[in-house]
Amino acid sequence: MFNYEYWGNTSFNGKINMALEEYMLWKAAETKKGMIRFYSFSNDTVVLGYAQATDALKSNDVDVVRRATGGSHVQTGKNIIAYSFAVPRDGSFTHFEDMRKYYAEHVANSFSSLGVGSVESDNKTSTINIDGKVAAAHAIIWGVNSALMHGLIIIDPYDMEKLAQRIYLGTRVITGKVYSD
């Protein structure tokens, strides 16, 4: 489908990671190549959605950045591995849902190839679930000349006390379950 450029597996702070994602979008459009990157965050960071207000923050004791995709905030740090796929809008994917399904299936298949069982890609919630629990989540920006899907694989459970001190979780319904502050 694409010739890919692999950007490696690196760890940077949130500002550099988000800047590299924007550069991936630009470079995919310019070079007509797909870009793949795996990365982590060198320190705990709250990543806000593109248009999200900062009122989700309870304190200023954590790095805060904004990503190119919408949605709600996520907490990142050494407990996750992030992935990004950027591609030119050359007609290979006719709709962002095609892209989401394609790359989510690849991530889910990677879990399966490692011997992890009961892996399911849920494109309605943009998650990859293992035994019915969220193991990864992703989002897409569908630009004019390129598109990017990025996501987080949870490799160590979140420290919910630390999370609750930093951000308002509010009330959320995720796959039928209600979560609240």
Side-chain angles (χ1 to χ4, degrees):
M1 180 177 293
F2 296 106
N3 289 322
Y4 285 95
E5 186 175 302
Y6 175 59
W7 288 28
N9 184 358
T10 54
S11 180
F12 293 115
N13 67 43
K15 289 178 183 177
I16 292 173
N17 281 329
M18 295 303 99
L20 285 171
E21 284 199 342
E22 290 190 29
Y23 182 64
M24 284 177 77
L25 266 169
W26 174 84
K27 191 161 185 191
E30 289 295 309
T31 65
K32 306 295 186 228
K33 287 184 179 179
M35 308 288 155
I36 299 174
R37 178 173 178 245
F38 295 93
Y39 57 101
S40 58
F41 289 75
S42 55
N43 50 317
D44 288 351
T45 306
V46 172
V47 182
L48 298 173
Y50 176 76
Q52 184 179 8
T54 57
D55 61 359
L57 301 172
K58 285 185 179 179
S59 70
N60 295 328
D61 70 339
V62 64
D63 290 349
V64 178
V65 296
R66 191 171 299 281
R67 65 181 181 272
T69 58
S72 185
H73 53 275
V74 295
Q75 170 80 33
T76 63
K78 296 181 181 184
N79 66 316
I80 62 97
I81 294 174
Y83 54 89
S84 295
F85 305 101
V87 296
R89 292 276 314 276
D90 65 356
S92 296
F93 297 112
T94 56
H95 191 268
F96 73 89
E97 291 294 348
D98 300 334
M99 182 181 173
R100 179 194 322 268
K101 182 178 180 189
Y102 180 81
Y103 287 111
E105 290 290 324
H106 280 288
V107 174
N109 289 340
S110 296
F111 281 114
S112 296
S113 71
L114 293 171
V116 177
S118 300
V119 179
E120 176 191 12
S121 178
D122 184 345
N123 289 317
K124 290 182 183 175
T125 60
S126 298
T127 61
I128 297 167
N129 304 313
I130 298 174
D131 292 326
K133 296 180 181 173
V134 175
H138 47 266
I140 287 183
I141 180 169
W142 190 251
V144 173
N145 297 312
S146 59
L148 177 131
M149 178 173 136
H150 59 183
L152 305 174
I153 299 171
I154 304 163
I155 57 173
D156 195 27
Y158 284 99
D159 180 339
M160 292 308 291
E161 286 188 29
K162 191 188 298 185
L163 196 63
Q165 291 171 1
R166 293 177 173 166
I167 57 178
Y168 292 102
L169 299 175
T171 300
R172 298 169 184 228
V173 178
I174 303 172
T175 59
K177 295 180 185 175
V178 178
Y179 299 88
S180 62
D181 247 344

